[in-house]
Amino acid sequence: MPQDSLEASPSPRKRTRAGAPRRATVPQILNAAEWTFGTRGLKGTRLEDIAKVCDIPKGNILYYFGSKEDLYNATLSRLLDVWLTDADHWLSSDKDPLDGLRGYIEAKIAFSRARPEGSRLFAQEVLSGGHMVQDFLRGELRAHVARHVAIFLEWQAKGIMAPIDPTHLLFLLWSGTQAYADMQVQYEAVLDRTPLTDGDYETAVTTLMTLVRPLFSQPASGALEADENKTLKRSL
Amino acid sequence: MPQDSLEASPSPRKRTRAGAPRRATVPQILNAAEWTFGTRGLKGTRLEDIAKVCDIPKGNILYYFGSKEDLYNATLSRLLDVWLTDADHWLSSDKDPLDGLRGYIEAKIAFSRARPEGSRLFAQEVLSGGHMVQDFLRGELRAHVARHVAIFLEWQAKGIMAPIDPTHLLFLLWSGTQAYADMQVQYEAVLDRTPLTDGDYETAVTTLMTLVRPLFSQPASGALEADENKTLKRSL
DNA sequence: GTCTATATGAAGATAGAC
DNA sequence: GTCTATCTTCATATAGAC
């Protein structure tokens, strides 16, 4: 029940069996809120818009959540919960690096495709200064980064990964994958396709993998095709 | 006078020598608007905020620009003008690919650093559906992409560039560089530095170059350092 | 041509009905 | 416990003063 943590629930004292409408409505509101906040921002969103999507009177939203800002926070926190856990387990020091990275990249791209509004919501928030997610950024996210950086460093210590700044590499993986949600309309306009196709998202993964692969190559398989006749052993 | 194109100037019929306050005030307003719109979005921005920065009464803004939306459009269009021209000349088929790419990447990062609000303004706009920049996306930007893609394809035809999707590679260059403006607070939180240092931005460039370099390697210089003793000639 | 006081409208929150 | 009518605030835009 991650989303309940921030919810201003009006005294759920006695374990009432009522609240059937509540259990149905609250997640519905959160979904609609994620969509609307993600595309229109906090200020750009009217509670009535969310209400209309849910087909409920706008007052009800303020009944379930105390205020517009509270709803915004609840929506954000539900999102952040999914986020990290989703891609976190892909990278570990014992797995094959390239397999792990491919899984990570595919997971991030899949998220951008499946829940673009979520990605956009977070982007909107960070873009606007990220005041609502300061704790998250300085806490959970920093820990998440530290874990992944440690893995990269381990690989580099073992000599199986090229010397590249681990943190900035992560930044590039984030931005490259999330942009397929955040900059979606830009990409659609450039590619002249709405929506983007399966093939487009596959190409996205392939392109990222092509850039990442040489970091692990002995020496550089895949950079140029049809070229397997080269020195395959490295100095280590 | 790019910004005048969208400006609702009230009948500048007779070539009046007045407008001295105008010439001083209008750019000032546009600068303040770029900042405010970029960090708070269209809806999140109050004309009074912009007015306060410029130290003028808020009514004046509506005098110079017809409406809030008109000011927003003017701000956007001034930004887009700078944008493409800025990095456009770095890539050309006769230059050395890696030099060109380094120039391009450095220019984009420099822009992210020098004018982060501008980058954020554009990001906000695209994130929100990009309705105000549809023409730009489907016109100038698409042409810009076509030019660069053509160069990449030429390099690939010559066999000096690895087979990677040119458009998606561009996407990654954009997202990777712009994120240093758009996701600035996130990066600052992760790196625990505010603001980011010269070194951080240098590392950003280096990291991107490390990923891009193998695309042009004979066969893969730079992927792992201290390893210049390998086959330097390719099959072509 | 430049600036200011006022009107108009919209959206969030509250209090009270069911 | 759930929902709705009303209040209040606040920001844009207008009209008119200087």
Side-chain angles (χ1 to χ4, degrees):
Chain A
M1 57 205 64
Q3 68 272 35
D4 290 334
S5 53
L6 271 182
E7 180 190 332
S9 54
S11 63
R13 193 68 48 82
K14 45 174 68 177
R15 177 191 296 269
T16 164
R17 202 176 54 238
R22 175 184 218 94
R23 268 199 309 283
T25 311
V26 163
Q28 197 186 11
I29 293 175
L30 284 168
N31 288 338
E34 184 170 309
W35 196 93
T36 317
F37 283 134
T39 66
R40 303 219 237 276
L42 172 56
K43 286 294 183 75
T45 293
R46 292 171 307 180
L47 289 178
E48 196 181 331
D49 294 341
I50 301 178
K52 204 173 290 177
V53 174
C54 303
D55 197 40
I56 57 171
K58 78 171 176 179
N60 288 24
I61 296 177
L62 286 158
Y63 166 66
Y64 290 120
F65 303 85
S67 71
K68 187 190 185 181
E69 223 180 52
D70 284 351
L71 171 59
Y72 182 75
N73 279 322
T75 311
L76 257 180
S77 97
R78 189 185 66 151
L79 176 69
L80 300 180
D81 276 351
V82 199
W83 193 325
L84 293 185
T85 45
D86 214 34
D88 209 11
H89 74 282
W90 280 105
L91 296 184
S92 69
S93 50
D94 46 337
K95 280 211 197 91
D96 175 71
L98 281 174
D99 287 349
L101 274 172
R102 172 173 286 273
Y104 185 82
I105 289 167
E106 279 175 348
K108 296 283 290 176
I109 290 273
F111 187 88
S112 286
R113 192 180 187 183
R115 250 171 112 175
E117 331 77 30
S119 186
R120 282 182 215 129
L121 170 57
F122 183 71
Q124 287 261 15
E125 170 58 24
V126 172
L127 220 45
S128 321
H131 304 290
M132 303 300 195
V133 291
Q134 281 290 355
D135 289 350
F136 170 80
L137 295 178
R138 315 192 97 84
E140 294 163 79
L141 183 66
R142 208 182 276 173
H144 172 92
V145 170
R147 267 195 308 279
H148 285 175
V149 164
I151 296 170
F152 289 159
L153 289 175
E154 226 175 296
W155 287 340
Q156 292 180 332
K158 280 196 225 165
I160 58 174
M161 180 177 180
I164 190 172
D165 186 280
T167 311
H168 287 258
L169 175 60
L170 257 186
F171 290 171
L172 291 175
L173 295 179
W174 290 347
S175 59
T177 51
Q178 287 169 200
Y180 283 88
D182 304 342
M183 303 286 106
Q184 184 179 353
V185 307
Q186 188 181 353
Y187 291 0
E188 286 173 348
V190 167
L191 293 172
D192 202 10
R193 270 195 289 282
T194 309
L196 300 183
T197 65
D198 288 352
D200 291 323
Y201 289 100
E202 283 162 21
T203 308
V205 174
T206 308
T207 307
L208 263 164
M209 284 306 293
T210 304
L211 289 176
V212 163
R213 197 175 298 117
L215 296 175
F216 300 92
S217 292
Q218 300 115 345
S221 76
L224 282 176
E225 89 293 48
D227 185 46
E228 301 307 324
N229 52 341
K230 62 190 132 202
T231 53
L232 274 168
K233 290 291 296 183
R234 303 200 58 76
S235 46
L236 27 107
Chain B
M1 56 206 67
Q3 67 271 38
D4 290 334
S5 53
L6 271 182
E7 181 191 333
S9 53
S11 65
R13 192 69 46 83
K14 45 174 68 178
R15 176 193 296 268
T16 161
R17 204 177 51 236
R22 177 188 216 91
R23 266 199 310 281
T25 311
V26 162
Q28 198 185 11
I29 294 176
L30 284 168
N31 288 338
E34 183 169 309
W35 195 93
T36 317
F37 283 134
T39 66
R40 302 219 236 276
L42 173 56
K43 287 293 182 75
T45 292
R46 292 171 307 181
L47 290 179
E48 195 181 332
D49 294 341
I50 301 177
K52 203 172 291 177
V53 175
C54 303
D55 196 42
I56 56 171
K58 77 172 175 179
N60 289 23
I61 298 177
L62 286 158
Y63 165 67
Y64 289 119
F65 303 83
S67 72
K68 187 189 185 182
E69 225 180 53
D70 284 351
L71 170 60
Y72 182 75
N73 279 323
T75 311
L76 258 180
S77 97
R78 189 186 66 151
L79 176 70
L80 300 180
D81 275 351
V82 198
W83 193 323
L84 294 185
T85 45
D86 214 34
D88 208 12
H89 74 283
W90 280 105
L91 296 184
S92 68
S93 50
D94 45 338
K95 281 211 195 90
D96 175 69
L98 280 175
D99 287 349
L101 274 172
R102 171 172 287 273
Y104 185 82
I105 288 168
E106 278 175 348
K108 297 282 291 176
I109 291 271
F111 187 88
S112 286
R113 192 179 187 184
R115 253 170 109 175
E117 330 78 30
S119 186
R120 282 182 214 127
L121 171 57
F122 183 70
Q124 285 260 16
E125 170 58 24
V126 171
L127 221 44
S128 321
H131 305 291
M132 303 301 196
V133 290
Q134 280 290 354
D135 289 350
F136 170 79
L137 296 178
R138 315 192 96 84
E140 294 162 78
L141 183 66
R142 209 183 274 172
H144 173 92
V145 170
R147 266 196 308 277
H148 286 175
V149 165
I151 296 170
F152 289 159
L153 289 176
E154 226 174 298
W155 287 340
Q156 291 179 332
K158 281 197 225 163
I160 58 174
M161 180 177 180
I164 191 172
D165 187 281
T167 311
H168 287 258
L169 174 61
L170 256 186
F171 289 171
L172 290 175
L173 294 180
W174 290 347
S175 59
T177 51
Q178 288 169 198
Y180 283 88
D182 304 342
M183 303 287 104
Q184 185 179 352
V185 307
Q186 187 181 356
Y187 290 0
E188 287 174 348
V190 167
L191 293 172
D192 201 11
R193 269 195 290 280
T194 307
L196 300 183
T197 65
D198 288 352
D200 292 322
Y201 289 100
E202 282 163 23
T203 307
V205 174
T206 307
T207 307
L208 263 164
M209 284 306 293
T210 303
L211 289 176
V212 163
R213 196 174 299 118
L215 296 175
F216 299 92
S217 293
Q218 300 117 342
S221 76
L224 284 176
E225 89 292 51
D227 185 46
E228 301 308 324
N229 52 341
K230 61 192 135 202
T231 54
L232 274 169
K233 290 292 295 182
R234 303 200 57 77
S235 47
L236 28 107

